[in-house]
């Protein structure tokens, strides 16, 4: 069994402090944040001329919208767990 010297203990403590995650409670649900983001992206896309950049933004907005609908579907009361 290896024992840690005071220097290696200090280094290990610093490394843990470097990787410590900052956690906080979200004020809005993921669905609300996605909906707001979709609205913002669609507004940005409407200002762009037709082209690949606009298409890419609209595609991302559609994907986020689908994710919202899937989440609603999964949480629906009609969905039953497998038996």
């Amino acid at each position: 069994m290896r024992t840690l010297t005071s220097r290696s203990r200090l280094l290990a403590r610093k490394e843990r402090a470097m990787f410590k995650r900052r956690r906080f409670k979200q004020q809005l649900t993921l669905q609300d944040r996605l909906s707001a983001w979709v609205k913002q992206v669609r507004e940005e896309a409407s200002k762009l001329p037709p082209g690949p950049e606009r298409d890419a933004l609209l595609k991302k907005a559609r994907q986020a919208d689908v994710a919202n609908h899937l989440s609603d579907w999964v949480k629906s009361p009609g969905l039953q767990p497998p038996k």
Side-chain angles (χ1 to χ4, degrees):
M1 185 168 165
R2 248 174 61 185
T3 60
L4 296 175
T5 64
S6 60
R7 179 185 163 116
S8 59
R9 268 189 248 128
L10 179 63
L11 286 174
R13 195 175 308 136
K14 282 184 179 180
E15 285 175 1
R16 275 184 275 155
M18 281 178 33
F19 294 111
K20 194 169 187 175
R21 293 177 59 189
R22 292 191 290 158
R23 296 172 185 254
F24 57 94
K25 277 273 203 191
Q26 291 289 342
Q27 297 298 320
L28 300 172
T29 65
L30 176 61
Q31 286 181 310
D32 292 340
R33 287 181 281 143
L34 267 177
S35 295
W37 183 80
V38 166
K39 183 178 177 183
Q40 177 188 351
V41 168
R42 286 199 173 128
E43 286 173 6
E44 288 177 25
S46 69
K47 296 174 186 173
L48 292 175
E53 190 175 344
R54 180 179 178 172
D55 293 342
L57 281 177
L58 290 173
K59 181 178 179 181
K60 286 181 183 182
R62 274 193 305 273
Q63 288 173 342
D65 217 14
V66 167
N68 254 347
H69 288 297
L70 285 175
S71 180
D72 287 340
W73 177 73
V74 168
K75 290 179 181 179
S76 71
L79 192 63
Q80 298 294 317
K83 294 181 182 183

